[in-house]
Amino acid sequence: MHLKSVCLLSAIFSLSSTAVASKSCSGKDTGSSRREINFLKGAVTQYQLTNPLNDGVACACYLLRKFDRYAVFREGEEEYLREANGYWSATVWTTPRCIFTPSGASDVAKGIAIMKECRALFAVKGGGHYPPPEMSTITDGVLVALTKLKTLELAEDKKSVLVGPGLRWGDVYRYLLPHNVFVVGGRITNVGVPGFLLGGGISYLGSRWGFGMDNVEEFEVVLADSSVVRANKRSHLDLFWALKGGSSNFGIVTSFRLTAHPITGKAWIGKFAYSTATDPDTGKRNHMETVLDKLQAFVDKNDDTSGVLPLFMYVPQHGGPIGDISVIKLDVEGKMEMGAGSIQGEYGPTPDMIHVPKLFKDMTEEIPPMMGAWNISHPYQLTLAMNPDAPDGFRQSFRVHAAKATRESLELITHIFYNRIPELLEKLPAEEILQTLGQTSVIIQPITKNMLKQGEKRGGNTFGINSSQSYYWYIITVTWFDPKYDEIMNEWSDLTSELTYEALGKKGLSHPFIYMNDAHGNQDAFAGYGQREMKRLKKIREQYDPKRLWKKGLVGGYKIPE
Ligand SMILES: Cc1cc2nc3c(=O)[nH]c(=O)nc-3n(C[C@H](O)[C@H](O)[C@H](O)COP(=O)(O)OP(=O)(O)OC[C@H]3O[C@@H](n4cnc5c(N)ncnc54)[C@H](O)[C@@H]3O)c2cc1C
């Protein structure tokens, strides 16, 4: 018998007894054959005939588990708990009826066939970092958790790396450490790979390489009909483009091939904290003017070797308002010597800082930070240093808007944010503030012209944003501990976000783009995409998902409107 048919028969045989086959004879995961999918459809029909209750989720959970009982978990099992609670924000913890953990593209394809045929609602989870509830979770359906898809393979020529959707950015950076190449990934190591890339992806070095999505060379994706395709510049070009910002509207991505950028392995990295409390004598916020001036100068410079992320926070446990600024400058020429040090308020830097980027030289000379630390090391270090700022397991919310990157925008955004803090504090019992409010902040993400141009240079993406202007995509965030304050926190965040956007609008400084990866569930992420891009996205969706599986069957994610 021909080898191929032996493989197919053995795959179907194993499928009908215990496990869903996931590899072809070559060892490569090539997806499922039509025969396998038809076999599964038959199994669903059989189930439905003997279980006329019409409970699609029960049907899917039963059959998924029947075909691979080591891949499907129910409440009470350890793996179930780990996956159901394995999200960044406690606001999204929930109880799926069962959790399906596929091991490869063909498992995903078979799972989709079963869930579709059973008419079960399902959700897809990558790294679980979306803070809004029911975006990568589901209360009474099947959760497809991609945790086991951990491919990590640097190409022999070191020009690209294959990355599975079950990974976090820290896994990828660590793997690449010895190879002196870097990828465009999250600014915090714990963020998941797939959601980040499918929604855009802002890294510290966006001005050099563009968004994460601009650096995907190929998506392997399971489509609504359970076929597995590779979308790249040569094949499925429309789908390739649509996945760059089109999120989960086209299929489940089972691997990403990312451009690997050569680096020297060194960068100047620093993290500094400034008090932004109001000076009782002047009535002005300490240091705010200078910090904002320098930030604006940095963004105007549009330097493609540096990146900055400013957070203006209110942290009750630290006694109030703080500006937290992290910065990176890549050692492009390989001339930086090693060095490290810290800054302790009035005592200044110890030892003297070397290779310090201009932004920080000016800033630290004019206004010494309360504290800070810098070193010259691998860019990965900065993403590690950011982790403690965003621990797992608290209640969190994000709301995002966009503004033109002007000094006046910075003024308005920070001013309105700090002016709204007393209203939030008034709503909370005074004696409980420390136990109630973790922090609230406005994070101002510079989206430079260079960053947008890099996207155009790499084939374009779905955002449709003009690169003749820089922007600030600012996020209002809140961290709290007790669900009884959910409503207060959400109302305050909604209003703060709206008031800021309105104020910017009145000055002609607002921009309609809503960055999906930082949006709240009640924000319409696709409303800010370019009109031409939306038209094209809809056309491509019609081609790849005419029956709208990803709109009607997949719960969560932002949906392309009709
Ligand atoms: C602490 C923190 C730091 C962050 N830092 C950054 C940052 O530096 N830059 C930035 O741009 N953003 C950042 N974000 C936002 C982040 O990019 C988004 O939350 C992103 O969705 C996270 O990806 P994930 O895989 O963890 O998400 P998940 O919550 O698992 O998924 C997000 C969405 O993608 C869908 N999805 C997941 N996997 C797949 C797949 N394989 N195929 C199809 N659909 C899929 C899910 O169904 C869901 O709708 C941060 C968020 C947090 C909470």
Side-chain angles (χ1 to χ4, degrees):
M1 200 186 293
H2 192 272
L3 185 64
K4 216 168 161 190
S5 43
V6 173
C7 287
L8 186 63
L9 280 180
S10 63
I12 292 181
F13 180 73
S14 69
L15 187 82
S16 58
S17 52
T18 50
V20 174
S22 63
K23 302 263 194 270
S24 75
C25 288
S26 69
K28 275 200 167 170
D29 191 334
T30 51
S32 309
S33 72
R34 275 295 121 207
R35 278 180 68 187
E36 287 174 273
I37 298 300
N38 287 338
F39 174 83
L40 292 172
K41 286 182 179 172
V44 173
T45 311
Q46 211 176 354
Y47 175 92
Q48 286 166 338
L49 283 173
T50 46
N51 295 274
L53 271 181
N54 203 14
D55 180 344
V57 179
C59 164
C61 289
Y62 172 81
L63 288 174
L64 287 167
R65 184 148 166 139
K66 180 170 178 219
F67 293 135
D68 189 350
R69 77 185 184 85
Y70 299 106
V72 181
F73 304 101
R74 291 181 189 272
E75 230 174 329
E77 292 178 299
E78 196 187 326
E79 289 84 347
Y80 177 99
L81 257 185
R82 201 178 313 132
E83 289 293 353
N85 293 347
Y87 289 87
W88 180 62
S89 172
T91 51
V92 312
W93 292 350
T94 184
T95 49
R97 193 95 68 90
C98 68
I99 301 182
F100 171 46
T101 60
S103 294
S106 58
D107 282 6
V108 173
K110 287 164 196 156
I112 292 299
I114 290 176
M115 293 185 295
K116 192 169 121 182
E117 212 57 24
C118 287
R119 295 175 190 271
L121 292 178
F122 60 98
V124 174
K125 175 195 172 198
H129 264 59
Y130 250 4
E134 300 278 313
M135 289 304 252
S136 46
T137 54
I138 187 162
T139 301
D140 189 26
V142 182
L143 175 65
V144 182
L146 301 172
T147 326
K148 289 182 186 162
L149 276 70
K150 290 197 192 299
T151 304
L152 205 41
E153 219 176 281
L154 184 63
E156 240 169 69
D157 61 8
K158 295 195 178 184
K159 287 187 174 162
S160 67
V161 57
L162 195 65
V163 177
L167 294 164
R168 310 289 177 101
W169 286 107
D171 302 322
V172 185
Y173 299 151
R174 246 190 328 275
Y175 168 75
L176 294 176
L177 259 180
H179 301 288
N180 278 359
V181 290
F182 206 53
V183 286
V184 180
R187 287 164 299 198
I188 284 191
T189 55
N190 284 343
V191 174
V193 165
F196 174 96
L197 289 173
L198 292 167
I202 308 171
S203 75
Y204 274 108
L205 291 161
S207 291
R208 189 161 189 78
W209 297 314
F211 290 93
M213 63 185 167
D214 298 324
N215 290 268
V216 181
E217 296 181 6
E218 182 174 271
F219 299 90
E220 181 188 70
V221 50
V222 178
L223 301 176
D225 65 358
S226 283
S227 58
V228 182
V229 300
R230 299 222 158 102
N232 53 44
K233 270 189 194 158
R234 294 164 304 282
S235 174
H236 299 281
L237 183 59
D238 269 358
L239 181 62
F240 179 55
W241 174 84
L243 287 166
K244 295 180 175 197
S247 191
S248 52
N249 285 280
F250 297 92
I252 299 182
V253 176
T254 45
S255 75
F256 302 85
R257 180 165 292 286
L258 306 180
T259 304
H261 298 281
I263 54 167
T264 62
K266 277 188 274 173
W268 192 96
I269 61 182
K271 203 162 176 298
F272 301 88
Y274 287 92
S275 162
T276 47
T278 308
D279 183 327
D281 294 334
T282 61
K284 287 191 166 178
R285 292 204 171 272
N286 280 330
H287 311 319
M288 205 64 178
E289 301 279 314
T290 318
V291 171
L292 298 186
D293 284 349
K294 303 294 176 206
L295 280 175
Q296 188 60 41
F298 177 87
V299 173
D300 288 342
K301 196 169 165 217
N302 198 24
D303 171 20
D304 73 352
T305 61
S306 307
V308 65
L309 184 66
L311 276 77
F312 296 96
M313 316 165 82
Y314 179 86
V315 188
Q317 297 199 0
H318 293 176
I322 297 177
D324 177 294
I325 297 175
S326 50
V327 71
I328 185 164
K329 182 164 180 69
L330 210 54
D331 177 21
V332 181
E333 293 169 353
K335 288 187 179 160
M336 286 185 186
E337 312 129 54
M338 294 313 251
S342 61
I343 299 179
Q344 292 299 332
E346 62 200 89
Y347 302 110
T350 328
D352 281 350
M353 292 198 281
I354 50 170
H355 306 302
V356 53
K358 190 166 175 353
L359 165 77
F360 271 84
K361 192 165 170 16
D362 293 356
M363 207 187 273
T364 46
E365 275 172 9
E366 248 176 80
I367 42 166
M370 282 184 340
M371 58 177 162
W374 64 276
N375 67 15
I376 291 161
S377 63
H378 197 279
Y380 164 52
Q381 278 295 334
L382 183 55
T383 64
L384 269 180
M386 293 299 286
N387 265 346
D389 287 355
D392 283 10
F394 298 123
R395 305 185 81 72
Q396 310 274 1
S397 84
F398 281 9
R399 268 131 186 108
V400 71
H401 272 299
K404 291 178 186 164
T406 68
R407 176 65 177 77
E408 197 178 1
S409 299
L410 285 178
E411 185 76 36
L412 276 172
I413 295 166
T414 52
H415 189 76
I416 295 175
F417 170 72
Y418 277 126
N419 276 358
R420 299 241 339 120
I421 303 281
E423 187 184 308
L424 177 61
L425 300 181
E426 270 166 29
K427 289 178 195 258
L428 306 171
E431 66 288 358
E432 278 185 32
I433 285 180
L434 281 184
Q435 296 83 41
T436 305
L437 180 64
Q439 65 89 41
T440 175
S441 63
V442 58
I443 305 176
I444 303 183
Q445 310 181 93
I447 305 297
T448 61
K449 290 181 207 168
N450 260 341
M451 194 164 166
L452 297 164
K453 285 200 178 107
Q454 284 300 323
E456 290 164 3
K457 207 173 108 188
R458 288 162 207 275
N461 56 52
T462 55
F463 284 180
I465 300 176
N466 192 325
S467 64
S468 60
Q469 164 85 51
S470 299
Y471 302 90
Y472 292 127
W473 291 357
Y474 59 94
I475 322 170
I476 308 287
T477 82
V478 190
T479 307
W480 69 102
F481 308 120
D482 191 330
K484 76 178 178 206
Y485 296 113
D486 284 7
E487 207 178 313
I488 291 179
M489 302 301 181
N490 280 315
E491 275 177 16
W492 181 85
S493 307
D494 273 339
L495 194 56
T496 306
S497 180
E498 276 163 32
L499 289 173
T500 316
Y501 190 65
E502 264 174 41
L504 287 160
K506 282 186 188 146
K507 303 264 182 190
L509 295 172
S510 61
H511 184 271
F513 190 77
I514 292 170
Y515 179 46
M516 173 188 301
N517 278 352
D518 295 327
H520 191 64
N522 62 9
Q523 294 192 280
D524 181 0
F526 282 108
Y529 280 42
Q531 278 183 7
R532 212 180 38 198
E533 285 74 15
M534 280 313 293
K535 217 168 144 193
R536 188 169 170 203
L537 277 171
K538 287 177 187 174
K539 204 169 145 208
I540 300 169
R541 197 240 322 251
E542 198 55 45
Q543 183 188 343
Y544 284 95
D545 188 20
K547 295 194 178 151
R548 306 287 189 269
L549 175 69
W550 310 114
K551 187 166 190 184
K552 296 177 188 162
L554 172 68
V555 169
Y558 294 92
K559 310 290 185 196
I560 295 172
E562 291 304 322

